Each structure stands twice: as C-alpha cells, then as structure tokens.
C-alpha cells in the first residue's frame, strides 16, 4: 500500500517536472531511461586502467574511469560502457549534470575563450571586465550582508585564506585599528615566532571537514586517515550535535544536545584564551558532510553566532559542500535565519571556483596579504555564470525541493521497511543521508548500489550520503529508491 | 663602441630568430613592433576600474586591467589602450605568450572541451584517458629518476601536498615500514597532538618563497608582509648564499659563502632534532625568486643533497617559478648536475597546472591521504600539452638561451654604463635580475619602465626581475634594453 502511494506521488512529480523541463534543457531528453550495467564492476577495462594509473601515483582511491564523452545529465558512463545513475556527482561537485549544453557552449564566444586561455594573475592584472564579472556572477548570489568576495582555487585554499583574513582582522582589532606593525612583529614573524606569528587559533567541530592543507587540516576532525603523520596546530575542538531520529520524536533530547555542545564551545574558547591561544574564528559546516552528514538546528547556529559575537571571534560558515543549491536554498545557512550575517562564507565544488564572501570592512589592511599568483580562475567564473543562469532558467532550487521531498519520503519508507538495516534518514533538499547498522553494512550498501547501477557516496562511520546534481528530478529519485530497495532486500 | 657591437650582435640574433620562427608561429607576425603608451599610467579607465574592484575586495595590489582580446605574444594591452612589452608575464606564469593560436585551438576538439567542462574528482573518477595523459604530457618532461606525479591546483597546494607526502614517507621509515597506525596515533591526531600529529618540520631558507597557505607559509621567508599575523609552525630556517658579483671575480668569497650556509643547514638540522622537531624535508628554490633572485652554485646544491641524504631528510626542489624552461633547461635544477635525483620536485605557474613529481617508492602508504576533491584540473593539462608541443616545435629552450645571452650581455653593459644605479646582474636563460642601489631607486625603475612601455617585476629589497615568456626573442630583448637604458638615463 505504502509503495503504491509512493509510486503515485512520484509519478505526479515526474509528470510535473517533465512538463517544466520542456523547452529548457536538452539534457533530460538525451539521458538514458535507466542505469545499464554490462560487466562486473569494476570491469576489465577499468581494472587495466587502474593498474596503469597505479604505476604513476597512489591510486587506491580511484573507483571508476569515466567516459566523459558519453556521460549525460545524471548518468555516468564508465570505461567498460556501464551506465550509472549518479547520486554522488564527483564528491558533490557537478552542479547541473554532465555535458550540460549551456556549459559546452560557454567558450564558443571568443572573448570567453581568451579569458580562459590567458589566465591572469588576478591580484595584479585582472581583465577589464573582471570587476563587473565578480559583481554580476558572484555578488548576484552573495549571502545577505556580505559585500566582498575573493576568488580562490579550491575549498582548502578558500578556507586557508578565510582563516588568514580572520587572523589579520583579529590582530587589527587587538592593535586598536593601528595599521603599522612593530619592528618586533616584523622580525619575529620571519622566524615563525610570536608576536609576528601569533598563537591564535580557529575552533572547529568534532566530525568536521574543512580541507587537507595544513591550516585547513588543523581544523578538519573527520577521520584519522585524513590527519595522521601531518604536523598540526594546537587549535581547539568542540562537539557538534549528534541527534536522535526521527527529530520530532526526540525534540527535548536534541535540544539538550544543542545546549551541551554550545557549553563546550564556550568552554573551549575560554580554555584556549587562558592557554594563550585565543580563538580568532570558529568554522562550521551547516551540515557536517564528510564527517557523517550531521545536521544541527537553527537554534544551535543562532546561539553559536552569539557565542562568537560575545568572544570577539569571527563566525566562518563553510559551504564548500552545502553551497550552490543542494539543500533547496542557494546557501544552506539561510535555513537558520541568523539575526546577523556570518563574518565569512567559503565555497567551492558546485560553485566551480573556490572563494569566500566576507565583509569589506573586515578585509586585510594591506595588499599582498591574502594573495597568490592566480587568485582563482576566470575560466571557472565563465562556467559558473552559465550554471547560475541554468539554475534560474530551469528553476532548479524548486526542483531540488520537489525531488528532495520524493527522496526523503522514499527513504523514510525504506527505513520502515528495513529497520534492521538503515535508519536516521536526514537532511535538507536532496542533500540527504541515512545510516546503516555498521561500517561493514554501509560499505556493502554502497558497493551493491554500484553493482546495481547507482553511484553513491559514503561518509562518517556508517552513513550513505546523497549528493546528486541539481537536475536530479523526481524520476531519478524513483529510480534511485527502486534500486536502493532492491539493494537492501538483497543484504 | 660597446653599443655598436651590441646592436650588431642583437641584429644577427633577431634575423636568425625571425627565420627560425617563419612557418611556426603566427603570433610573432601579429605582435606590434613596439610598446605604445597613449595615456598616463595608470590611465583614467584603469583608475575607474580599480575603484570599482576596491568596492569588492582589497585590490591594492592591482596594477593594470588587461584587455585580453588585444594582448598578443609578448605584448600586454591595458584598459586604456596602452601597449606594453611584458617582461613579467603574470608573475612568470605565461609560458608561450598571450593568445597563442595553439592554445586558442586547444578546445576546438569536442573531446577536450568535454574534459574541460566535466571536471572530475580526479582521485575517484578520472577520465578513461587520464593515465595516458599523465604519461604523455607530464611524464614526458619528468625530472630524471622521478617516476610518479600528482597533479594539484596551484603552487602553494603543490608544496603543501609535497610536505604531506614527505611527512608520511618519513614516519613510515620511522615505523620500519609498518603500515599500521597505533590506537594512540589515531586518537591523538584527532586532537592535533603527537604522536598522531608529529612534531616534524620542513627546513627552508632565508629569503625563500614557497606559497601562502599555512604549511607553505611556514616555509616562506621572503618578507614580513607575507607572514604577519598568521600562526606558523616552529620550523627551522637556514641562510641561503648571498653572492658577490661578478661571480668570476669573487670565486673564493662565494665558495666560502656556500660552505658557511651549508654548515648552518647542518646545524639547524641538528638543533631541531635535539629540540624534538626533526627535519623530515628540506625545500629549496633553484633560484630564490620572490625573495630577490638569489642564485646558488651547483656545488651548494650537491652538498645540500648530501646533507639531506645523511640526515634522512627528503630534498624538495621548488620549481614553481623556475620550471618549464625560463632558465634554458626544462627544470632549473638540471644545471646543478646532482648525482642523484631530488626526492620531490614541485611545479605550477608556466606549467599551468600545479603538481609534484616524486618517487613511486615514496608515495603515501594508503589512499585518501594526499587527496582532495579535484586533485588538479584536466583542462589545464590539455593546455599544457599544447604548451609543451609549442616549446618543442618552436625550439623555445634554444630561443631562451639565445635571448638570455642578448639580455644578460645587454644588462652587463648597462651596469657598466650606470654603475651608480644598478649592479649584480645575474641569472640563467631569460630568468635574470639586477639590483638597484636601494628600494626606492628599484621601485622608481620599475615604475618608470612601465611609463616607458615595459611591464617589469620587482623582487626582494632592491631587485628588478625579468620573467618574460619563452617566446621573448632577441628583438624583444633589444627593445627591453633600449627602454631600460632610457629609463636609467632619466633616473
């Protein structure tokens, strides 16, 4: 019975969406109807390629080799000709599906092609149209209250440079706004010692992931394998809420969990102040992703912001994975209705360019401080411009919300059907996850999904995460749910 | 008399080169004959654009806005229609000049266009042709003895990830090759403490520049403004030779300088071992660039390698600025005739993609340790493939050597003509520099060169650096030298 209702709801959504798509995108028409697995996974060609790649680098993380000439929309085609429905999309970094015609056409214009090929040092010789591009593309989706932006190369360096921005702003406050540096600061920083290289810190949360370069990695707290053997800054960590599901059955427990975590944030800030390593900034993901898709309530984030304000620390929201629409809003933190803007918001992945939004009033005091040769890549902004147009023209945030409902309803049904196997369905939009009973079971689900034609992602110890493109429609959700049901049945 | 000889030599080179170019590149024909400055520098349009950009970010480092539709070969055209001969090329990151037809044609092929647009998570789902691309493009110019390569995004993250690779290799040695981690290591790394986050260090040199993210920045020792207010690792620094010029007049002094610096490297390694922060790697630029274009002898590098071998530290050569031909060899360290390969060589800038070469035997023990979402960018490798073809087809390393001779001879003549203003002409290929009497004088030379139609770079306290593209021919050298003479005369 449940299944019939689900199917009927899904069908209605599919029809609506097909109608909606008509006239907009040629991708949906070109997509295959469903996954098609022709060989074992990995197939023989993939196995041979992996051997070849392993002769040049540590390639143990490689799952499949893609035939990008054949990938289309939500479908990924591998070296062996297998077609997968992609619910992971290159670790959540494909905004509008494979080979979207708008992106393929982006460099037909010679001006755009020259911007791609003549990559400038953006901090010194940007193109004539760069200020206008920043305004019309990046600032058109800027978080409310953040009036400045710096482009960067990737998520890690966006966070690294956001931290630098925050440290400089914090020290400027400590100097009472004085722009000069003392001779002692200038001499000591050259030998990596305070006061020039101050013992300031960034607080992050248990389970968080903020990147893998040394500053970012010092705030990453996801898994030992990400951190082992790398020197690290002595920076504080605090617990991030771990909720019980379903949320509406555990309201008071989860609220208590929020307060417990907030108390420990306050304690850590106090402890590191006493320790001589004051917290200049707090970085937080709106939904912890790599660490296991842990969400927190608007209340938690509102209170966290107050703690930051009271202690003089900047609040940095890391939207590298949540940003650009997958939660049904452009930025996930918009769900939290913070009374004031965060100080910094970092992005990458679906935004195609790295970077961070901030407040112009909190910019570095002098040039050449948050700086590098490339400072981003105009070619990526040209693609992002097309992506944002597609999101708008195809009304993709609405689609994410529609598809998200189908997916979440379907996952809830599956957790009722298979309560011994999966639970804790959660998330916003299509940015969803569920838990398996243990790591082994989770890994088997992800592996079997693949064999059954779905690329899925794991995160944390026991979670399966969904990270489809924004063009993942209810019809794709229905296929996903069918294959997941089949997979769970076989486990 | 000197001038007449110079002019005659230059003319001969120009004729040879024009002949050589014929049939290869259309760029040389399309270039203007000389710089053309129509407005004040910066002109009114540039000033207006700077104001606009400054409303969005700290833009104090921006010099000019480029009209990349009009830039061609060695010539840079700004927003106000001024045409400059470019001897700085986007901080040394334009390999074959602006708008090279081979690069403009790189994405005409639909397969390449799809590789650009469908940017994968290279560590998980690379394209079918990725292993072969790595081999045919990057490995075709791999330093002898380095059989592995990882692509990255930029110079900083190439160095950051090279350090991670080195730390992991060093700890693996300490564990006697054992692949398992102890429970204590796994627990301690999650709170950024040893033994999981070990107190290992990277030694770098006074005056060095290795990037601006926190790991890279801890090894950068160029200027206070690059480091101030950023927390830093307590890692050792040693002096890099400071030679007297001309080299052939100060052989014994400079040799003594080499030995003095080498002794201090050995001392620092010993001191940090005692201090509980052993040196796992030593990073060095073949020519210190940002820090002031300081060079060191093959003897210095050979002895440095011995010190590394004896102490068990990896030798990391940072060729981010020197790599890809400007010194007349593909990699500058080839000039040093090291008896064994370095452990790691990092690159970016003219290579268009970041990355590092290393030894497969020294790769990380497990996957997902040197990893990030993008791990580079296939679109950049497609451009690099074209660049390497152009370098080969147009015989650009030979051109660099020819032009380099013209430039260096010309600079030597100018330092004889203006001994009160410039001295210490030095460098290899077209990777050249000279000193001004002081910072103010140097800044005036660079500013006046610009007003006179030449974009030039500053480095260190008093140096002017030349970083032309590899297509900078003797005729461009002659124009550069004429304008520099004019500029020095007016000072």
């Amino acid at each position: 019975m449940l299944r019939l209702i689900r199917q009927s709801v899904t069908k209605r959504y599919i029809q609506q969406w097909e109608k909606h798509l008509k006239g907009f995108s040629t991708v949906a028409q070109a997509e295959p109807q469903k996954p098609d697995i022709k060989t074992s996974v990995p197939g023989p060609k993939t196995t041979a390629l992996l051997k070849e790649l392993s002769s040049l680098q540590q390639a143990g993380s490689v799952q499949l080799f893609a035939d990008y000439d054949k990938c289309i929309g939500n479908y990924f085609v591998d070296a062996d000709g297998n077609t997968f429905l992609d619910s992971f999309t290159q670790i959540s970094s494909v905004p509008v599906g494979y080979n979207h015609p708008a992106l393929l056409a982006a460099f037909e214009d010679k001006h755009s092609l020259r911007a791609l090929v003549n990559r400038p040092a953006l901090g010194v010789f940007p193109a004539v149209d760069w200020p206008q591009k920043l305004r019309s593309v990046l600032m058109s989706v800027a978080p409310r209250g953040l009036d400045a932006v710096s482009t960067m190369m990737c998520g890690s360096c966006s966070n690294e440079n956001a931290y630098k921005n925050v440290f400089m702003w914090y020290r400027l406050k400590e100097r009472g706004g004085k722009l000069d540096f003392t001779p002692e600061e200038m001499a000591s920083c050259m030998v990596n010692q305070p006061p020039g290289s101050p013992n300031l810190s960034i607080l992050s949360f248990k389970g968080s992931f903020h990147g893998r370069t040394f500053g970012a990695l010092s705030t990453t707290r996801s898994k030992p394998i990400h951190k082992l053997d790398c020197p690290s800054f002595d920076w504080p960590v605090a617990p991030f809420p771990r909720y019980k599901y379903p949320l509406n059955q555990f309201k008071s427990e989860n609220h208590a969990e929020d307060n417990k975590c907030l108390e420990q944030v306050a304690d850590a800030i106090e402890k590191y102040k006493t320790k001589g390593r004051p917290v200049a900034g707090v970085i937080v993901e709106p939904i912890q992703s790599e660490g296991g898709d842990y969400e927190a309530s608007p209340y938690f984030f509102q209170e966290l912001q107050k703690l930051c304000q009271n202690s003089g620390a900047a609040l940095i929201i890391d939207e590298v994975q949540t940003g650009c629409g997958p939660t049904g809003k452009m930025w996930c933190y918009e769900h939290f209705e913070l009374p004031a803007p965060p100080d910094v918001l970092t992005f990458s992945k679906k935004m195609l360019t790295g970077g961070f939004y901030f407040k112009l009033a909190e910019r570095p005091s002098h040039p050449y401080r948050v700086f590098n040769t490339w400072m981003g890549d105009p070619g990526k902004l040209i693609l992002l411009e097309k992506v944002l147009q597609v999101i708008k023209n195809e009304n993709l945030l609405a689609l994410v919300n529609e598809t998200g409902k189908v997916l979440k309803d379907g996952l809830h049904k599956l957790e009722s059907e298979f309560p011994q196997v999966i639970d804790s369905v959660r998330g916003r939009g299509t940015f969803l996850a569920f838990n398996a009973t243990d790591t082994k079971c989770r890994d088997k689900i992800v592996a079997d999904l693949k064999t059954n034609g779905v690329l899925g992602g794991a995160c944390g110890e026991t979670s399966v995460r969904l990270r489809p493109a924004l063009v993942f429609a209810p019809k794709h959700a229905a296929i996903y749910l069918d294959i997941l049901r089949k997979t769970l049945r076989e486990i």
Side-chain angles (χ1 to χ4, degrees), chain A:
Chain A
M1 179 62 189
L2 269 172
R3 204 175 160 194
L4 282 177
I5 292 171
R6 185 188 62 79
Q7 284 175 345
S8 127
V9 171
T10 306
K11 202 172 168 193
R12 185 158 49 81
Y13 276 119
I14 292 172
Q15 285 166 347
Q16 280 176 0
W17 171 241
E18 294 286 345
K19 197 174 152 196
H20 168 80
L21 252 186
K22 216 172 158 185
F24 280 128
S25 170
T26 55
V27 171
Q29 281 81 356
E31 278 187 339
Q33 289 303 305
K34 56 181 176 57
D36 180 18
I37 304 302
K38 297 171 172 169
T39 72
S40 58
V41 179
K45 286 183 186 164
T46 301
T47 305
L49 284 167
L50 190 57
K51 195 177 160 196
E52 165 71 3
L53 187 59
S54 298
S55 75
L56 292 173
Q57 56 187 224
Q58 167 58 270
S61 56
V62 170
Q63 291 187 26
L64 294 171
F65 291 83
D67 186 340
Y68 288 109
D69 292 332
K70 294 189 185 141
C71 295
I72 184 81
N74 295 284
Y75 285 91
F76 174 103
V77 180
D78 80 354
D80 291 279
N82 298 306
T83 302
F84 302 84
L85 179 67
D86 196 349
S87 77
F88 193 39
T89 60
Q90 312 290 335
I91 321 180
S92 198
S93 65
V94 179
V96 292
Y98 296 104
N99 282 310
H100 195 289
L103 301 194
L104 289 171
F107 299 106
E108 281 174 7
D109 169 57
K110 292 290 172 209
H111 175 73
S112 296
L113 181 65
R114 289 192 202 100
L116 173 74
V117 164
N118 297 296
R119 183 185 197 177
L122 281 167
V124 196
F125 305 106
V128 168
D129 62 358
W130 184 244
Q132 180 270 324
K133 277 269 184 206
L134 287 178
R135 197 170 287 284
S136 66
V137 182
L138 281 170
M139 294 313 292
S140 78
V141 292
R144 201 165 44 85
L146 301 191
D147 56 351
V149 70
S150 273
T151 51
M152 287 289 154
M153 308 285 300
C154 66
S156 285
C157 82
S158 300
N159 284 337
E160 293 261 342
N161 282 284
Y163 299 169
K164 287 178 69 173
N165 208 77
V166 162
F167 288 131
M168 290 168 192
W169 159 81
Y170 191 90
R171 287 288 294 138
L172 187 65
K173 281 197 303 175
E174 287 190 327
R175 288 187 196 98
K178 241 184 79 215
L179 293 180
D180 293 338
F181 307 104
T182 65
E184 196 194 354
E185 284 175 323
M186 296 214 275
S188 59
C189 78
M190 299 307 288
V191 288
N192 297 7
Q193 300 295 330
S197 304
N199 283 326
L200 296 175
S201 63
I202 301 286
L203 182 145
S204 62
F205 289 93
K206 206 176 156 185
S208 65
F209 184 90
H210 302 293
R212 295 164 176 270
T213 45
F214 287 90
L217 189 62
S218 293
T219 54
T220 283
R221 313 278 184 165
S222 40
K223 293 177 192 158
I225 199 70
H226 300 152
K227 291 173 71 78
L228 278 158
D229 297 346
C230 297
S232 203
F233 289 111
D234 180 7
W235 290 354
V237 62
F240 191 80
R242 297 290 182 258
Y243 291 155
K244 290 185 179 158
Y245 291 88
L247 291 178
N248 55 12
Q249 280 178 33
F250 295 97
K251 276 187 186 164
S252 68
E253 289 90 335
N254 292 339
H255 189 68
E257 173 73 2
D258 280 345
N259 284 327
K260 195 193 77 186
C261 292
L262 289 162
E263 264 171 42
Q264 294 197 40
V265 172
D267 287 350
I269 290 175
E270 196 49 42
K271 183 179 156 199
Y272 270 71
K273 190 179 167 186
T274 312
K275 204 174 169 177
R277 297 183 177 272
V279 173
V282 171
I283 186 158
V284 65
E285 295 157 279
I287 299 174
Q288 286 193 342
S289 306
E290 187 66 32
D293 267 42
Y294 292 108
E295 58 189 349
S297 68
Y299 166 79
F300 174 80
F301 284 97
Q302 291 160 12
E303 292 299 310
L304 181 64
Q305 183 170 52
K306 280 185 207 156
L307 280 178
C308 288
Q309 287 164 341
N310 293 339
S311 71
L315 176 61
I316 308 166
I317 308 259
D318 178 341
E319 294 248 19
V320 167
Q321 191 153 161
T322 49
C324 200
T327 70
K329 293 186 185 281
M330 183 67 196
W331 306 110
C332 183
Y333 92 97
E334 295 172 50
H335 291 283
F336 307 149
E337 300 185 348
L338 297 183
D343 294 278
V344 183
L345 182 146
T346 63
F347 57 83
S348 189
K349 289 191 183 266
K350 281 191 177 63
M351 292 289 281
L352 305 185
T353 173
F356 60 97
Y357 295 103
F358 58 110
K359 297 171 184 169
L360 194 64
E362 295 176 8
R363 72 189 177 283
S365 56
H366 305 71
Y368 288 110
R369 301 188 73 192
V370 170
F371 184 88
N372 55 61
T373 296
W374 285 323
M375 300 281 287
D377 185 347
K380 302 304 177 197
L381 217 67
I382 288 165
L383 289 171
L384 176 62
E385 183 169 28
K386 300 295 176 187
V387 164
L388 296 179
Q389 283 166 4
V390 169
I391 290 176
K392 197 175 169 190
N393 293 342
E394 301 189 6
N395 201 12
L396 292 183
L397 293 190
L399 180 66
V400 165
N401 283 312
E402 284 183 27
T403 307
K405 271 183 232 155
V406 176
L407 273 174
K408 204 171 189 179
D409 286 352
L411 292 172
H412 278 309
K413 277 158 201 153
L414 288 172
E415 70 179 341
S416 312
E417 287 178 51
F418 303 95
Q420 309 304 324
V421 192
I422 66 166
D423 57 51
S424 302
V425 168
R426 60 197 182 275
R428 296 177 185 275
T430 57
F431 199 101
L432 300 170
F434 57 88
N435 288 355
T437 41
D438 56 31
T439 305
K440 200 176 149 195
C441 174
R442 186 274 310 275
D443 290 347
K444 184 158 169 55
I445 292 173
V446 173
D448 291 359
L449 273 174
K450 202 194 289 182
T451 312
N452 290 328
V454 168
L455 293 186
C459 62
E461 292 299 313
T462 62
S463 301
V464 176
R465 59 178 153 172
L466 284 78
R467 294 293 180 276
L470 307 177
V471 293
F472 202 80
K475 72 170 179 182
H476 305 107
I479 297 169
Y480 178 91
L481 292 166
D482 280 347
I483 293 178
L484 179 58
R485 173 174 283 106
K486 181 183 168 215
T487 302
L488 295 174
R489 236 180 235 145
E490 291 165 358
I491 275 174

